[in-house]
Structures are given as structure tokens and as C-alpha cells.
Amino acid sequence: MPLLLSRTALAAMVVSFAGCANVSGPLVGGSNVQYGDARAVETVSNEFGSTDLQTIAESMARSLLQARVITNSRDTPMVTISEVQNKTSEYIDTRTITDKIRVQLQKSGSVRFPINANEMQGQVDELTRQNQTGLYKKSGAAKIGKMEGAKYRIQGSISSIVKRNANIKDVFYTFQLSLVNIESGVIEWADEKDIRKTSTR
């Protein structure tokens, strides 16, 4: 004979399962913090924000991946990226912009990236540990002198023009990015993205 559940027990089970589906662990802290949509348009102020970051990274990565120097390449070119220069009057975390663009490009599979200058010391330390400490089999150790150099370098900058009066503040951002052939010094590709943000009192 099948086991019959009361309406109360059944409702309790539904609530329990629903809670398990939405929460991966115990809740800690107060109730005044909420998760939001990371892709939502951010309009807290007219300073550089998360929407601008996402727009620039996606636009520039898409444009670069459509460039002939990339699409006509017979192999997957090695590209390095320099930190974006901040030419505005406000603080902007340009390392975040740089990393966001690199991730977008890396995910495409159309370009490859060597480690950047900030990561080089860790690479040197690992090669030294494998080759000079005597802890690793020589047959399995990563060989010194085998690192690949980049063929192209990505460089960029962000600048702004700010205008204001008693009631309105207008900020015009220009983001520029270019791809340089490291050996020849030739600019193989360049593009820009403009963003205007206006706020009123």
C-alpha cells in the first residue's frame, strides 16, 4: 500500500526542495545585501562604470577578431597586451579593462597570449625550481629557453572630455586600441569606441 503524505508534509517538502535549488549553501549576514544582474545597465553616476567596461571590452575584442591580420593568419598568432593608459581626469582601473579584453580574446581561440610582464617572475621561479633544485627528473622538467615570444602587441588608451554647467554634466569617453607588429613596428589594426554620459542635478 503506497505511503500517503499529508498536505502539510507535502508543502514542507516542496519548500525544502525549492530552497535547495536556489541556495548552494547556508546564508550568512544580514538581509540588506542583494545580488543583481551583472549585465544590467549601471547608471549610478556618469563616471566610468561596469557597463562601460563590458561595452568597451566586447566591442574591441569583436573588432580585432574580424581584422584581416587575424582572420587571414595561417596559425593562431601570439599576442601580448600592454596595460591600457588612463588619460582621463578620473581614477579608472585600467588593469581591469586590459584583463577583460584579454579574456574576451582568449575565449575566442583565435589568438594566444604569453604571460605578461607582471607574471614573468612566477614563470622564471617555476623554471628555476624545475631545472636547478635537483627535485625533478630532467626528462620531465620544462626546458629553459623554450618560451614563445609574441608576434603582435595590443596597446590602448582611454581619454575623456568633461563639460558642465550649473545643471548638467556631460562626459565623453574615447577608447582607442591598436595592434602592433612587434618586429616591424607597423600598426596592423586600430579601432575606437566612444561613450557619452550625461547627468542632471
Side-chain angles (χ1 to χ4, degrees):
M1 181 177 180
L3 180 63
L4 299 178
L5 297 176
S6 68
R7 290 184 179 179
T8 304
L10 184 59
M13 289 177 63
V14 170
V15 170
S16 176
F17 287 137
C20 292
N22 293 327
V23 180
S24 59
L27 297 178
V28 178
S31 60
N32 61 339
V33 177
Q34 297 181 1
Y35 280 95
D37 183 0
R39 304 287 302 179
V41 176
E42 181 262 305
T43 57
V44 175
S45 72
N46 62 358
E47 295 179 341
F48 191 86
S50 60
T51 301
D52 308 317
L53 169 64
Q54 293 171 342
T55 299
I56 286 173
E58 292 172 3
S59 175
M60 290 293 101
R62 183 168 54 249
S63 177
L64 175 55
L65 293 172
Q66 293 172 353
R68 285 184 298 175
V69 67
I70 301 298
T71 59
N72 292 346
S73 179
R74 294 182 179 180
D75 56 3
T76 306
M78 186 76 78
V79 179
T80 188
I81 184 168
S82 303
E83 185 166 343
V84 171
Q85 296 180 3
N86 181 10
K87 297 182 178 180
T88 72
S89 58
E90 66 181 274
Y91 171 76
I92 296 176
D93 184 358
T94 54
R95 170 49 55 186
T96 301
I97 301 176
T98 307
D99 290 343
K100 191 78 170 176
I101 293 172
R102 182 169 70 165
V103 168
Q104 292 287 328
L105 293 171
Q106 187 86 52
K107 287 167 62 176
S108 74
S110 298
V111 295
R112 296 179 298 150
F113 285 89
I115 60 173
N116 59 38
N118 296 330
E119 300 162 335
M120 181 60 74
Q121 189 57 54
Q123 175 74 1
V124 171
D125 291 344
E126 181 61 27
L127 285 172
T128 300
R129 179 164 51 250
Q130 291 194 27
N131 287 275
Q132 298 181 14
T133 62
L135 298 173
Y136 297 84
K137 293 181 180 179
K138 291 190 177 296
S139 60
K143 303 298 186 294
I144 293 177
K146 298 292 185 179
M147 291 177 61
E148 293 187 45
K151 184 175 182 180
Y152 302 104
R153 184 182 78 256
I154 298 172
Q155 59 187 25
S157 65
I158 183 169
S159 57
S160 66
I161 300 173
V162 181
K163 298 289 184 179
R164 70 180 76 203
N165 59 25
N167 300 315
I168 299 175
K169 180 182 178 182
D170 180 83
V171 184
F172 180 81
Y173 293 101
T174 295
F175 185 85
Q176 297 180 334
L177 205 66
S178 59
L179 182 73
V180 180
N181 186 307
I182 294 176
E183 186 172 79
S184 66
V186 173
I187 298 176
E188 302 282 3
W189 165 90
D191 202 352
E192 62 183 3
K193 176 69 178 179
D194 297 333
I195 296 175
R196 166 165 266 125
K197 305 178 76 174
T198 303
S199 61
T200 58
R201 292 185 177 181

